[in-house]
Amino acid sequence: FEKVMIEQKTKVGDKLIKAAKGVIKDLFNITCLSDDEDVIMRDFKKYADSMKHDLDRIEDKYSVEPRYPGKDIIKKGKSLLSDLLLITFPTEFFNAVKANEDDLLNFGEDIEPVKKFFAGDQKNIFDQCLDILRIYAESKTYIVDGETESAAKGIRDIISMSSPYTSIHKLPGLREKFMTAYGDLLEKQAVPIMAAVESARDRVFEELDGKKCRDKLKDRYIARFDELRTKVQHCNNVAVLQGISVEADAMKMRCLNEIDAEEAKLTTPVSPVDNGGDTPEPQKKNKKMVSIKTINTSNTWQIETEADVKKYVSELENRLMAQLEDNTIINIVF
């Protein structure tokens, strides 16, 4: 008898048990038939632990895309459940459930649309529209089109809602509207870009025509410019499309320099005439091709006065002078 330890146990009131069973039913969608406080507490913790693990898996998705809705709800629910899981004494546990009853029930209502969002098609629709906003953000400098801007704004307004679930059904229509308008814009802007590619190609093959290295380089250059053409035809981003014209110019300069280098290798140097050594043999000069776009970086010149003319000419002269190198012929390519 002296080794027996006795602990007095305080009985949990019926109201507390009823509140806990109500939370189990509404939050976990499970009916608890037992009135035993130990069984109720055990089952409650089991369901809470399972739900917390589900919330952990959902929370991981926000590290990939923080704009997904429901992040604050997940955080609040995890906090509520974690606090209850740490309690070991029944009386303290049931009192805590009762004190947080409203928050737990509200969380139960709020978490349902979040779970449906990640489990169904809403997330896929959301992802597609996030891609639309990314494309728009990269291209908006080049977009002056009411339909495209209106569709992008409608998508952005829904994406930025804290609870967009009842409006997500509008996104496919807005996405279709954006893609149609954006596609028309791409077709229009592709015309001058394709012309720039063709112009660069023509300049390269004009230079290659009649050269000894033509057979060696021709197929390689055809493939390079065909790749640029395909890139223009399949481009789905206005910003990327605009960059292809710069790429075409860089390709042109690269090819022209290659032609010059290859031709120099294939050309037999002329033997100098023996003049008794009195006159030094002239040193062969290097050749360098430079695009006019690297010399004149301005797209337009605004001229009103004579001073404006002198300013632009002076800037152009300074850039040309900077290109000079010893024993080198500079070819400016337009």
Side-chain angles (χ1 to χ4, degrees):
F1 178 77
E2 292 175 354
K3 295 180 181 179
V4 174
M5 295 183 65
I6 300 174
E7 178 183 354
Q8 184 177 358
K9 181 178 180 181
T10 304
K11 189 177 186 304
V12 176
D14 292 340
K15 288 185 178 180
L16 297 179
I17 289 178
K18 182 179 179 181
K21 292 176 69 173
V23 171
I24 290 175
K25 180 176 176 57
D26 291 338
L27 180 57
F28 306 121
N29 295 317
I30 296 173
T31 300
C32 181
L33 300 177
S34 176
D35 289 323
D36 185 284
E37 59 192 62
D38 292 326
V39 174
I40 295 172
M41 179 176 171
R42 181 199 66 200
D43 289 350
F44 192 112
K45 284 193 170 189
K46 180 177 70 175
Y47 305 143
D49 187 62
S50 177
M51 176 174 277
K52 183 175 175 297
H53 280 92
D54 291 340
L55 297 179
D56 287 336
R57 284 191 289 271
I58 294 176
E59 192 174 43
D60 289 341
K61 300 180 187 298
Y62 295 102
S63 61
V64 178
E65 179 47 72
R67 287 176 290 181
Y68 287 148
K71 186 175 182 179
D72 291 340
I73 294 171
I74 298 294
K75 184 177 180 181
K76 179 181 178 181
K78 283 184 61 178
S79 177
L80 285 169
L81 297 177
S82 296
D83 290 344
L84 291 173
L85 287 169
L86 292 174
I87 301 174
T88 57
F89 295 103
T91 303
E92 183 183 354
F93 175 82
F94 281 93
N95 281 323
V97 171
K98 180 61 178 175
N100 292 282
E101 182 179 11
D102 289 342
D103 288 340
L104 288 165
L105 295 178
N106 289 335
F107 167 68
E109 293 179 1
D110 294 339
I111 193 60
E112 283 306 312
V114 179
K115 288 160 65 176
K116 289 178 181 178
F117 172 86
F118 286 105
D121 291 334
Q122 286 192 336
K123 178 181 174 295
N124 294 331
I125 295 171
F126 205 86
D127 286 337
Q128 291 171 353
C129 288
L130 287 175
D131 287 339
I132 292 293
L133 293 183
R134 176 185 55 77
I135 292 172
Y136 178 75
E138 293 172 354
S139 309
K140 63 182 179 182
T141 303
Y142 307 100
I143 295 175
V144 185
D145 176 75
E147 284 290 306
T148 308
E149 293 173 340
S150 173
K153 182 181 183 302
I155 292 171
R156 185 169 54 249
D157 288 346
I158 294 175
I159 292 293
S160 60
M161 290 179 180
S162 58
S163 299
Y165 314 105
T166 57
S167 299
I168 288 179
H169 71 279
K170 300 176 184 177
L171 289 178
L174 289 169
R175 179 177 180 273
E176 184 64 27
K177 178 182 176 183
F178 178 91
M179 293 301 294
T180 300
Y182 194 78
D184 293 341
L185 185 65
L186 276 170
E187 287 184 11
K188 292 177 184 177
Q189 297 202 11
V191 173
I193 303 301
M194 185 65 83
V197 172
E198 294 298 335
S199 176
R201 184 185 186 281
D202 291 344
R203 178 66 182 85
V204 168
F205 280 91
E206 177 187 328
E207 184 70 20
L208 191 61
D209 190 38
K211 294 291 193 298
K212 295 179 180 180
C213 60
R214 183 179 184 277
D215 291 340
K216 178 180 179 181
L217 299 178
K218 180 185 69 173
D219 291 342
R220 186 193 309 173
Y221 292 167
I222 289 173
R224 285 180 182 177
F225 282 100
D226 282 350
E227 184 179 344
L228 280 181
R229 286 168 169 167
T230 302
K231 198 170 181 179
V232 173
Q233 292 166 353
H234 295 90
C235 183
N236 65 350
N237 187 306
V238 171
V240 174
L241 183 64
Q242 293 296 323
I244 297 176
S245 63
V246 178
E247 189 176 351
D249 188 67
M251 181 75 75
K252 175 181 70 178
M253 297 309 304
R254 176 182 174 185
C255 293
L256 292 176
N257 282 307
E258 283 181 353
I259 292 169
D260 190 61
E262 288 295 329
E263 196 67 9
K265 293 177 185 177
L266 296 173
T267 302
T268 304
V270 178
S271 300
V273 178
D274 187 3
N275 53 19
D278 294 334
T279 305
E281 180 185 345
Q283 187 177 2
K284 184 178 179 181
K285 290 192 174 185
N286 299 319
K287 290 184 179 180
K288 177 182 175 182
M289 294 193 179
V290 178
S291 172
I292 187 61
K293 292 183 180 180
T294 64
I295 304 298
N296 177 35
T297 55
S298 301
N299 291 325
T300 59
W301 287 4
Q302 183 174 327
I303 298 175
E304 296 182 25
T305 65
E306 185 179 340
D308 292 334
V309 175
K310 291 181 178 179
K311 181 190 74 170
Y312 287 118
V313 171
S314 175
E315 290 175 355
L316 187 58
E317 180 184 9
N318 290 334
R319 293 193 183 103
L320 286 169
M321 294 292 289
Q323 295 295 324
L324 292 177
E325 297 178 6
D326 291 339
N327 197 44
T328 301
I329 298 173
I330 307 294
N331 290 324
I332 306 299
V333 181
F334 289 84

